[in-house]
Amino acid sequence: MCSVCGCGEATIALDNDKAGEAPAHAHAHDHPHDHDHLHDHPHDHDHRHHEDGAIDFGGGIAGAHVPGLSQERIVRIERDILSKNDAYARDNRRFFAERGVFALNFVSSPGSGKTSLLVRTIEALEGRMAVAVIEGDQQTSNDAERIRAAGAPAVQINTGKGCHLDAHMVGHALETLAPPAGSALFIENVGNLVCPAAFDLGEAHKVVVFSVAEGEDKPLKYPDMFAAADLLLLNKSDLLPHLDFDVGACLANALRVNPRLQTLIVSAKTGEGLAAFVAWIEASAARRAADMARG
Amino acid sequence: MHEMALTESIVEIALEEARKQGARKVTRVFLDVGALSAVDPEALEFCFAAVASGTAAEGARLEIARIAGAGWCLDCEENVPLAERFGACPRCGRCRVRMTNGDELKIREMEID
């Protein structure tokens, strides 16, 4: 599975570790993962299923079964390409449910202000809710250091050449981070508005951070991320007086892609909207905990 | 770039199934890739040869079926073709179309020896 996460390239920097040193990558790989075939999707059956899972379309390419002769066979697989990642995501989700950890996956293009926003949010949540952070970047542990300076434990994942975090990387980071029961876990994904949309990390919600210094039509240009998110934080609102950015048009574009998207206008600089975001986190975490308790 | 991670997943699933079947070699892998999915088939093909190299899937052909985009228009109450994700209905021009086809990303089957 390491090949999927880019292991050998990805490194998980422990507290006080400096990125760039030899990748500490002793994968014990003794954790169980479900890799079962659900097969609950409908598909046409104009072929015969064998007990071994092989499906016979008239005996294979050669058209006949001849004992002793090599026979090419067609094997029905019907598996989502992302099923490997999704199995790890299920493990993470189970971990979060068992511990009562409320996990958010922050996604955005580079430079939207995710880390500054997280720092302000950690400060705002102080004394109300414990917070731990997983930082994803291609290189450096600068962001994890900023988070630690704000008072929250942080683990840095360096993806090397990878353009996104995947559920396997996050699972390993969780072993190191061990977020306490009842805490919030902020996962700051690699800055990229495309790839992270496809990879479920096991989070409760994806939060897309989008700054007013970007174009209002970005939700239409990069719809997958806005479709995958539950909350949009429109950041850097302090810059609005200096820009021609049309907030209404931006939100209309985002809602066209995702009619269920919730939106908040915030500024990591002035603190505008942060109280509302904190309230959203607390309310969503409580609702999630209640849902889990009901099973 | 994430086509590389997807390709690694494709090869891994193919090898896992090949082992289960006791196959010696994987000769062809058939994928369904939706036209509206954020995946470039050419990039998949490019990555596949590199990732499969040195495995039982080395030299295997990647056969990619492009699944056309389609959706259910809530206003017209019928299936309509979709040229872009979250695009408008080609009949009524409104955007209340729920995508039903076109975001597939699946290994459908493979040929083994």
Side-chain angles (χ1 to χ4, degrees), chain A residues 27-32 175:
Chain A
H27 272 196
H29 269 293
D30 54 353
H31 44 288
E175 290 168 7

Side-chain angles (χ1 to χ4, degrees), chain B residues 23-91:
Chain B
R24 205 170 46 84
K25 241 175 127 0
V26 177
T27 49
R28 283 199 288 176
V29 178
F30 297 82
L31 305 182
D32 284 346
V33 175
L36 310 181
S37 68
V39 173
D40 177 10
E42 282 182 19
L44 284 181
E45 280 167 4
F46 179 79
C47 297
F48 185 77
V51 175
S53 164
T55 73
E58 181 165 357
R61 283 223 317 269
L62 201 56
E63 308 268 0
I64 300 176
R66 289 293 264 171
I67 311 296
W72 178 259
C73 176
L74 295 174
D75 294 313
C76 300
E77 297 190 337
E78 63 179 308
N79 274 311
V80 294
L82 264 188
E84 60 179 20
R85 208 165 181 158
F86 313 106
C89 170
R91 289 176 177 278

Side-chain angles (χ1 to χ4, degrees), chain A residues 10-12 14 17 21-27:
Chain A
T11 61
I12 294 174
L14 313 178
D17 252 4
E21 291 179 0
H25 219 79
H27 272 196

